[in-house]
């Protein structure tokens, strides 16, 4: 029986088990086919990845963070030079005076280094009665050395303040700006025995001030205190009370432009119609103001005349004053935003700031219309401002009698126009945080400030430049910080090249502003900081950064997986299965081979 | 933003009028209403663009929210809504997290000082669940799970005229006059759940001032903060008072200057451009003429003669 079974199955040994052994080598065709399909799928994955990739321009996150840290930690300070000249005093030690004044200044600034404050250097010159000088200078090499004897005591008090200002300007104008501007205070001690005890303090239009009085050599402490006060309260902070950088008095648009929109409102043109020659006042009176503020904002001026514009608050007749009275409690309701279509500027872009200046001519039923203050007085200007919006002036026609036949057409006379522009300049200064009147009062006395036809004196422009530099840099760094956080939180948002470039240029302008500030160029740092802020705002408010339009990673996965997952699943499973089968068959073949060898 | 501008709807029997009551006494769509986004422009994207300020450059100022860091904003939303959403145009939804995100971005960019959100939809209070920015006050007409109802039907027009929450809000303001110093607390307390048929819920955890001290004019009535101008800046009158010998105003002085300058320019122009000088001379001569009509008639006659002569020559 064994022979027959041997003959029937010639090559098979009795232990051959088809489940664990096979006689032929397993074929590779099936494995090859499945793995080639899997491989082609895998080959396509980079192409798929590339097609769903979104373009994100690389933003310099590190630079943005370092800029924010820098601005938060070290507040920006500007170099200023203070120079005090004492004329007509007996020879005193200028070093002593210098240390006293320095103490006074430090006391007033409370040693707080706020952004925009001065890193000052102080020098004192004393010129005695014989016109001999002794001085202490803060640094040795300066082109601003005061030539002894140039200031004569008899100039003061005789001429009017403007001429004194001009003569002092000739004295101090030789200074070139090395590191910051030079602010000077001249204290003049006159020996007029007839003169009274009064001390007059005047601040000029450029960068100098003077105090004139009699017998001042007895009152050194007083003089030192007043000199320090002028340096700190007037030259450094501009006569403004608030310390912090409040955005409420920085009416510059985020693209660095301001549009001044002047409107003449004829409340009831059936009573009278007024017109104005605006072009003349624009060229003559407003152009210097616009030019003076050029480093801070790019200002353009528009005007319009509107008709049928009643106000929405009420007024009452006062018999004693023979006029209609409205109170300060009515002021918040005065502007009738329903009927006053003021914001019709075609030239202003979306992000410029428009300041509305309204001259309101009341109707015949409310003429004359006067503003009564809470203390019962009548306002001298009949005007008010709303911060960041603009100002309103109520101008009463000279003659309130109506011409009953036809409405009279008049033009506002040049004298009246000039008065209106003066009130407007006061309001414009208020909108920037200064006081509208040209006087500064403190505990030690009053300082008369000479008004300049540019609306702001040079030292006020310096204060504005410094404050705006600080504000712009702060705003730029917070905007860039918000942008970087937003971009990092939406990983699938497209960041266009434009945005990346604007961020880069904004950072460059911010660095330039900081270096200009440290060198003492106030207006150059103001204009570069303005550019930095406007570029940062352009990048942040780019219309393509809308989170609604972009989807998360999960969404992308949810969109593509129904296409690829089922097929890919099958392919992968098939390849795995074939691989496992091949391994099994290979193992079977190997066991058969070993069995054959042993047999 | 009005998705369905009912006042301008062709089926509205009273065109350009929207009433709050079937007695038709108060026209809410007055002469001065300005609708900035209507119809198909009312989308979630446009709404969020308005809030965050990310418009295309060409979008006009009237379609932008021109607010700054001192502004108080009132945001009033009504329509169909549900749990954490508000329906836009029957096709989209505004989700509560989108709204919260937009408000967060507004706060970061300092686009408001105080924001008040009033929502009048079903389950309105869920729409501001996710808000976290400080300075935001929110009130909704109903809680989660509650519906908000309309007030009454105007059978003349054929639709329900106003929703209950809006009706009672308007009634509150109609009772006030310009000098009443009503507080937000009195507004919020005036909502009676029985009359509203839902619970008006408000959220003050993000809003610091006490509601009793906040006047309603903080958000309603477009009231401005004002500061009186104490004095004029006498930049020009000081010059006049000083110079006694020269009593002319700067304007007149400058007008002389202005008169001088164009003459100089004209002279320069004469050297540069004889053509414009000739035109100016002609203009002056024409202005001197008293009777312009005779000149015109004469010149027409001359032209006719020239035409006849030239046509006869050509023949």
């Amino acid at each position: 029986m064994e022979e027959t079974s041997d003959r029937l199955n010639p090559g098979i040994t009795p232990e051959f088990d088809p489940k664990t052994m096979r006689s032929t080598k397993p074929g590779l065709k099936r494995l090859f086919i499945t793995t080639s399909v899997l491989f082609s799928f895998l080959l396509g994955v980079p192409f798929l990845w590339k097609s769903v990739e979104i373009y994100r321009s690389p933003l310099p996150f590190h630079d943005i963070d370092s800029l924010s840290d820098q601005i938060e930690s070290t507040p920006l300070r500007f170099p200023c030079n203070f120079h005090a000249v004492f004329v007509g005093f007996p020879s005193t030690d200028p070093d002593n005076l210098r240390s006293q004044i320095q103490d006074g200044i430090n006391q007033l600034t409370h040693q707080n280094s706020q952004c925009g404050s001065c890193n000052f250097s102080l020098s004192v010159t004393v010129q005695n009665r014989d016109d001999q000088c002794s001085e202490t200078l803060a640094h040795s090499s300066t082109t601003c050395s005061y030539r002894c004897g140039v200031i004569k005591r008899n100039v003061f008090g005789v001429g009017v303040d403007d001429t004194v200002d001009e003569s002092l300007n000739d004295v101090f104008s030789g200074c070139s700006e090395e590191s910051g501007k030079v602010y000077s205070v001249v204290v003049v001690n006159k020996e007029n025995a007839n003169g009274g005890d009064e001390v007059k303090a005047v601040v000029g239009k450029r960068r100098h001030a003077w105090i004139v009085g009699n017998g001042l050599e007895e009152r050194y402490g007083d003089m030192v205190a007043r000199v320090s006060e002028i340096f700190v309260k007037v030259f450094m902070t501009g006569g403004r009370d608030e310390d912090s950088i409040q955005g409420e008095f920085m009416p510059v648009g985020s693209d660095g432009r301001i549009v001044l929109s002047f409107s003449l409102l004829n409340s009831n043109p059936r009573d009278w119609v007024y017109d104005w020659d605006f072009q003349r006042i624009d060229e003559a009176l407003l152009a210097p103001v616009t030019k003076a503020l050029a480093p801070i904002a790019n200002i353009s001026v528009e005007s319009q005349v509107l008709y049928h514009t009643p106000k929405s608050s009420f007024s009452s007749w006062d018999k004693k004053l023979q006029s209609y009275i409205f109170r300060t409690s009515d002021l918040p309701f005065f502007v009738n935003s329903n009927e006053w279509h003021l914001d019709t500027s075609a030239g202003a872009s979306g992000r410029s700031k428009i300041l509305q200046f309204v001259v309101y001519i009341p109707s015949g039923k409310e003429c004359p219309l006067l503003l009564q203050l809470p203390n019962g007085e009548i306002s001298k200007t009949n005007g008010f401002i709303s911060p960041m919006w603009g100002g309103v002036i109520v101008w009463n026609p000279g003659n309130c009698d109506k011409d009953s036949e036809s409405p009279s057409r008049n033009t506002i006379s040049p004298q009246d126009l000039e008065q209106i522009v003066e009130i407007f300049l006061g309001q414009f200064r208020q909108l920037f945080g200064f006081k509208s009147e040209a006087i500064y009062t403190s505990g030690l006395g009053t300082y008369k400030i000479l008004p300049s036809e540019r609306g702001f004196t040079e030292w006020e422009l310096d204060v504005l430049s410094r404050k705006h530099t600080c504000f712009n840099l702060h705003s730029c760094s917070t905007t860039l910080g918000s942008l970087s956080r937003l971009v990092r939180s939406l990983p699938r948002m497209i960041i266009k090249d434009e945005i990346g470039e604007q961020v880069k240029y904004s950072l460059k302008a911010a660095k330039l502003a900081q270096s200009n500030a440290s060198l003492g160029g106030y207006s150059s740092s103001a204009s570069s900081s303005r550019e930095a802020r406007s570029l940062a705002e352009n990048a942040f408010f780019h219309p393509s950064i809308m989170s609604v339009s972009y989807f998360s990673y999960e969404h992308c996965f949810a969109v593509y997986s129904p296409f690829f997952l089922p097929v890919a699943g099958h392919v992968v499973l098939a390849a795995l299965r074939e691989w496992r089968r091949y391994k099994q068959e290979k193992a079977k073949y190997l066991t058969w081979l070993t069995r054959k060898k042993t047999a | 933003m009005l998705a369905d501008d009912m006042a301008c709807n062709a089926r509205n029997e009273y065109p350009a009028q929207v009433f709050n009551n079937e007695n038709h006494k108060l026209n809410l769509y007055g002469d001065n209403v300005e609708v900035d986004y209507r119809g198909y422009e009312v989308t979630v994207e446009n709404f969020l663009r308005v809030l965050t300020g990310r418009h295309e450059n060409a979008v006009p100022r009237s379609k932008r929210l021109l607010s700054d860091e001192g502004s108080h904003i009132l945001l009033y939303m009504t329509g169909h809504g549900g749990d954490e959403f508000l329906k836009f145009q029957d096709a989209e939804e505004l989700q509560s997290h989108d709204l919260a995100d937009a408000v967060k971005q507004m706060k970061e960019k300092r686009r408001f000082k105080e924001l008040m959100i009033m929502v009048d939809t079903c389950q309105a209070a869920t729409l501001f669940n996710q808000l976290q920015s400080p300075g935001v006050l929110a009130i909704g007409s109903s809680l989660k799970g509650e519906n908000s109802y309309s007030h009454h039907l105007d059978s003349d027009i054929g639709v329900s005229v106003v929703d209950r929450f809006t009706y009672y809000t308007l009634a509150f303001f109609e009772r006030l006059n310009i000098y009443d110093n009503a507080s937000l607390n009195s507004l919020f307390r005036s909502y009676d759940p029985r009359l509203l048929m839902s619970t008006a819920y408000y959220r003050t955890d993000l809003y610091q001032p006490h509601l009793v001290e906040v006047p309603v004019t903080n958000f309603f009535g477009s009231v401005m903060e004002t500061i009186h101008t104490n004095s004029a800046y006498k930049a020009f009158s000081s010059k006049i008072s000083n110079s006694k010998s020269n009593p002319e105003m700067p304007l007149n002085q400058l007008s002389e200057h202005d008169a001088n300058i164009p003459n100089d320019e004209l002279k320069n122009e004469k050297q540069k451009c004889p053509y414009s000088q000739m035109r100016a001379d002609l203009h002056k001569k024409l202005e001197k003429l008293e009777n312009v009509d005779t000149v015109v008639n004469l010149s027409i006659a001359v032209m006719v003669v020239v035409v006849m002569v030239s046509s006869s020559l050509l023949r």
Side-chain angles (χ1 to χ4, degrees):
Chain A
M1 285 295 135
E2 282 182 10
E3 260 189 278
T4 337
S5 63
D6 275 335
R7 250 182 278 124
L8 274 174
N9 302 314
I12 302 172
T13 57
E15 297 96 27
F16 183 78
D17 179 10
K19 288 205 183 76
T20 56
M21 292 178 236
R22 60 176 283 149
S23 51
T24 51
K25 208 172 167 195
L28 282 172
K29 278 194 297 266
R30 288 172 67 163
L31 183 63
F32 182 67
I33 291 172
T34 49
T35 50
S36 66
V37 173
L38 178 66
F39 183 65
S40 66
F41 261 66
L42 288 176
L43 204 62
V45 164
F47 290 104
L48 178 67
W49 188 255
K50 191 80 181 152
S51 70
V52 302
E53 190 189 57
I54 42 158
Y55 180 69
R56 279 166 79 92
S57 167
L59 291 185
F61 296 120
H62 182 70
D63 289 337
I64 296 174
D65 290 335
S66 67
L67 177 71
S68 329
D69 289 336
Q70 205 177 27
I71 290 186
E72 295 293 312
S73 58
T74 52
L76 196 64
R77 300 188 76 192
F78 293 79
C80 316
N81 301 306
F82 292 151
H83 187 203
V85 181
F86 291 82
V87 174
F89 286 80
S91 301
T92 10
D93 182 19
D95 282 315
N96 190 11
L97 275 177
R98 182 168 178 272
S99 61
Q100 281 187 5
I101 297 177
Q102 194 141 17
D103 286 339
I105 294 179
N106 287 335
Q107 205 177 21
L108 282 172
T109 55
H110 299 292
Q111 295 282 18
N112 66 340
S113 53
Q114 268 226 350
C115 185
S117 60
C118 269
N119 218 351
F120 65 93
S121 60
L122 176 63
S123 58
V124 174
T125 306
V126 179
Q127 175 181 316
N128 66 5
R129 297 193 185 106
D130 308 317
D131 285 346
Q132 282 165 349
C133 292
S134 50
E135 51 196 359
T136 65
L137 295 170
H139 37 264
S140 50
S141 66
T142 164
T143 56
C144 283
S145 50
Y146 165 66
R147 282 175 298 128
C148 205
V150 172
I151 300 183
K152 303 266 176 257
R153 278 184 292 156
N154 51 8
V155 172
F156 295 88
V158 172
V160 278
D161 293 327
D162 274 328
T163 37
V164 176
D165 195 31
E166 288 299 315
S167 61
L168 273 183
N169 186 38
D170 295 328
V171 170
F172 289 116
S173 63
C175 291
S176 67
E177 52 231 68
E178 326 147 323
S179 65
K181 304 280 197 280
V182 179
Y183 298 99
S184 334
V185 178
V186 180
V187 185
V188 178
N189 179 23
K190 295 168 69 114
E191 272 177 274
N192 201 348
N194 302 333
D197 222 5
E198 52 157 69
V199 174
K200 183 163 106 153
V202 183
V203 182
K205 291 191 252 200
R206 305 295 165 108
R207 294 185 181 92
H208 41 261
W210 64 93
I211 306 176
V212 184
N214 290 316
L216 293 179
E217 66 266 17
E218 331 258 314
R219 297 151 66 171
Y220 269 117
D222 224 6
M223 286 303 106
V224 160
R226 289 198 85 164
V227 166
S228 343
E229 199 172 57
I230 291 185
F231 279 138
V232 174
K233 297 281 185 203
V234 177
F235 286 142
M236 213 156 92
T237 50
R240 295 147 65 121
D241 287 327
E242 82 277 8
D243 275 337
S244 57
I245 310 167
Q246 275 188 4
E248 206 179 359
F249 292 104
M250 308 258 180
V252 182
S254 57
D255 57 355
R257 293 182 56 205
I258 306 180
V259 177
L260 301 179
S261 172
F262 289 86
S263 312
L264 178 64
L265 259 47
N266 287 294
S267 161
N268 190 355
R270 294 202 187 93
D271 294 330
W272 38 65
V273 173
Y274 275 87
D275 196 2
W276 59 5
D277 187 1
F278 190 78
Q279 188 156 12
R280 271 170 102 208
I281 59 175
D282 184 18
E283 288 164 359
L285 306 176
L286 294 179
V289 180
T290 313
K291 217 161 69 161
L293 284 175
I296 295 170
N298 183 0
I299 303 183
S300 55
V301 177
E302 305 177 328
S303 76
Q304 60 179 349
V305 180
L306 297 180
Y307 305 92
H308 292 287
T309 51
K311 70 183 198 324
S312 44
S313 69
F314 303 109
S315 62
S316 51
W317 173 255
D318 186 316
K319 211 189 284 190
K320 200 171 63 172
L321 295 161
Q322 285 288 305
S323 48
Y324 288 89
I325 296 290
F326 68 111
R327 293 179 186 77
T328 47
S329 53
D330 288 320
L331 289 184
F333 305 101
F334 193 90
V335 175
N336 184 358
S337 24
N338 278 337
E339 315 241 6
W340 296 11
H341 298 291
L342 297 173
D343 196 350
T344 51
S345 164
S349 72
R351 285 206 281 279
S352 349
K353 185 85 199 152
I354 294 191
L355 289 178
Q356 315 278 357
F357 290 99
V358 172
V359 177
Y360 178 79
I361 298 182
S363 63
K365 290 199 294 283
E366 283 187 318
C367 175
L369 187 62
L370 298 177
L371 172 62
Q372 189 178 46
L373 300 173
N375 59 7
E377 286 176 9
I378 295 295
S379 159
K380 287 185 289 224
T381 56
N382 254 2
F384 63 94
I385 64 153
S386 180
M388 298 294 269
W389 180 83
V392 176
I393 303 171
V394 177
W395 185 78
N396 293 305
N399 182 10
C400 277
D401 301 322
K402 264 193 290 186
D403 194 6
S404 49
E405 290 102 42
S406 61
S408 55
R409 297 190 150 265
N410 312 302
T411 312
I412 302 184
S413 66
Q415 293 91 330
D416 288 329
L417 260 188
E418 209 174 82
Q419 283 179 355
I420 291 176
V421 170
E422 284 186 346
I423 303 177
F424 147 69
L425 279 180
Q427 290 182 335
F428 192 52
R429 287 165 57 88
Q430 270 187 308
L431 286 168
F432 275 95
F434 290 103
K435 295 207 176 38
S436 58
E437 60 260 357
I439 198 166
Y440 176 68
T441 318
S442 77
L444 297 173
T446 59
Y447 301 87
K448 177 175 163 193
I449 301 182
L450 293 181
S452 143
E453 18 343 309
R454 303 198 298 166
F456 297 92
T457 56
E458 300 247 354
W459 52 269
E460 283 175 338
L461 287 174
D462 289 343
V463 171
L464 266 185
S465 301
R466 295 197 290 260
K467 288 271 182 251
H468 275 83
T469 306
C470 279
F471 177 74
N472 288 343
L473 282 177
H474 183 76
S475 163
C476 170
S477 80
T478 48
T479 305
L480 288 178
S482 306
L483 178 66
S484 76
R485 278 195 295 276
L486 181 65
V487 162
R488 281 191 276 211
S489 73
L490 290 172
R492 284 196 63 78
M493 182 163 77
I494 298 178
I495 311 286
K496 296 198 171 151
D497 271 336
E498 208 179 7
I499 299 177
E501 274 184 23
Q502 281 168 343
V503 171
K504 201 172 71 172
Y505 288 135
S506 170
L507 287 171
K508 213 162 77 165
K511 278 202 185 49
L512 182 64
Q514 282 176 320
S515 71
N516 276 340
S518 61
L519 289 175
Y522 305 143
S523 42
S524 53
S525 67
S527 37
S528 25
S529 70
R530 178 165 63 110
E531 201 185 305
R533 176 176 173 227
S534 107
L535 285 167
E537 301 263 336
N538 280 348
F540 186 81
F541 282 113
H542 198 271
S544 67
I545 308 180
M546 278 296 289
S547 59
V548 189
S549 323
Y550 302 107
F551 305 108
S552 50
Y553 276 129
E554 293 90 7
H555 187 274
C556 181
F557 181 71
V559 164
Y560 288 107
S561 55
F563 293 111
F564 297 112
L565 265 188
V567 182
H570 281 299
V571 166
V572 167
L573 280 176
L576 279 179
R577 213 179 37 219
E578 284 308 313
W579 175 248
R580 233 179 320 145
R581 183 197 158 268
Y582 178 73
K583 277 203 335 207
Q584 272 178 353
E585 297 296 317
K586 192 75 187 262
K588 280 197 223 172
Y589 181 61
L590 285 176
T591 48
W592 182 77
L593 278 181
T594 49
R595 198 59 67 80
K596 210 170 86 167
K597 270 195 200 124
T598 52
Chain B
M1 284 181 132
L2 296 182
D4 275 332
D5 199 354
M6 281 307 175
C8 306
N9 197 322
R11 290 153 79 182
N12 185 358
E13 259 207 0
Y14 299 88
Q17 286 163 315
V18 170
F19 305 107
N20 72 323
N21 205 328
E22 62 175 344
N23 57 18
H24 294 185
K25 284 241 182 70
L26 190 64
N27 178 13
L28 300 174
Y29 206 93
D31 290 331
N32 305 309
V33 160
E34 207 177 293
V35 178
D36 299 311
Y37 288 85
R38 65 173 87 226
Y40 62 84
E41 290 171 334
V42 178
T43 58
V44 174
E45 187 190 331
N46 276 349
F47 174 65
L48 293 178
R49 280 189 192 276
V50 166
L51 283 185
T52 53
R54 295 208 171 90
H55 297 276
E56 303 282 333
N57 280 342
V59 170
R61 285 175 70 90
S62 59
K63 285 188 156 176
R64 295 181 189 236
L65 178 63
L66 303 167
S67 62
D68 55 49
E69 55 182 45
S71 307
H72 296 175
I73 302 181
L74 170 69
L75 177 61
Y76 173 80
M77 301 191 275
T78 182
H80 283 298
D83 195 0
E84 310 236 354
F85 71 91
L86 179 91
K87 227 165 98 167
F88 264 66
Q89 300 272 29
D90 275 354
E92 300 184 286
E93 290 170 357
L94 172 72
Q95 307 258 356
S96 60
H97 63 81
D98 284 328
L99 181 66
D101 192 52
V103 172
K104 186 175 96 158
Q105 286 194 33
M106 283 173 85
K107 191 67 191 175
E108 273 202 10
K109 212 52 206 77
R110 300 223 188 117
R111 275 166 77 74
F112 65 91
K113 188 163 149 214
E114 293 179 9
L115 169 67
M116 174 153 164
I117 304 181
M118 277 183 118
V119 189
D120 187 1
T121 67
C122 299
Q123 305 186 44
T126 57
L127 191 67
F128 43 83
N129 263 349
Q130 315 246 1
L131 287 175
Q132 273 164 359
S133 320
V136 180
L137 179 63
I139 178 166
S141 60
S142 51
L143 287 170
K144 176 165 167 157
E146 286 178 354
N147 289 335
S148 293
Y149 298 95
S150 65
H151 193 257
H152 60 269
L153 173 74
D154 183 354
S155 43
D156 200 8
I157 298 182
V159 289
S160 297
V161 177
V162 65
D163 291 337
R164 285 181 179 261
F165 180 74
T166 310
Y167 182 82
Y168 288 111
T169 310
L170 193 57
F172 177 85
F173 281 107
E174 289 292 313
R175 288 195 293 265
L176 296 181
N177 71 26
I178 201 173
Y179 297 112
D180 277 343
N181 215 358
S183 70
L184 274 182
N185 199 31
S186 57
L187 169 65
F188 290 171
R189 292 255 174 270
S190 72
Y191 296 121
D192 185 359
R194 283 168 305 165
L195 292 175
L196 284 182
M197 291 162 67
S198 60
T199 319
Y201 170 73
Y202 57 95
R203 181 181 173 177
T204 54
D205 56 325
L206 299 168
Y207 190 69
Q208 250 192 350
H210 293 298
L211 287 184
V212 190
E213 297 156 14
V214 178
V216 284
T217 51
N218 254 13
F219 297 104
F220 295 92
S222 75
V223 164
M224 308 164 76
E225 179 197 339
T226 54
I227 302 176
H228 173 243
T229 306
N230 285 326
S231 75
Y233 188 67
K234 306 239 178 264
F236 311 116
S237 34
S238 59
K239 261 198 329 199
I240 297 167
S241 60
N242 285 338
S243 53
K244 286 177 198 155
S245 57
N246 211 356
E248 287 152 2
M249 310 285 152
L251 264 184
N252 293 340
Q253 279 178 345
L254 280 151
S255 65
E256 284 174 15
H257 277 292
D258 283 340
N260 287 334
I261 290 167
N263 283 337
D264 287 335
E265 283 180 11
L266 268 179
K267 283 183 200 141
N268 285 337
E269 274 188 277
K270 211 192 332 194
Q271 292 156 4
K272 285 183 202 166
C273 189
Y275 168 69
S276 44
Q277 180 60 22
M278 194 169 66
R279 273 185 61 184
D281 286 340
L282 189 63
H283 198 71
K284 272 188 235 163
K285 275 195 200 123
L286 280 175
E287 274 177 339
K288 280 184 201 150
L289 282 175
E290 283 174 352
N291 202 351
V292 187
D293 285 337
T294 47
V295 173
V296 170
N297 291 337
L298 204 64
S299 48
I300 290 177
V302 164
M303 267 199 305
V304 165
V305 165
V306 165
V307 161
M308 282 170 42
V309 163
S310 56
S311 55
S312 64
L313 280 176
L314 277 173
R315 233 185 306 147

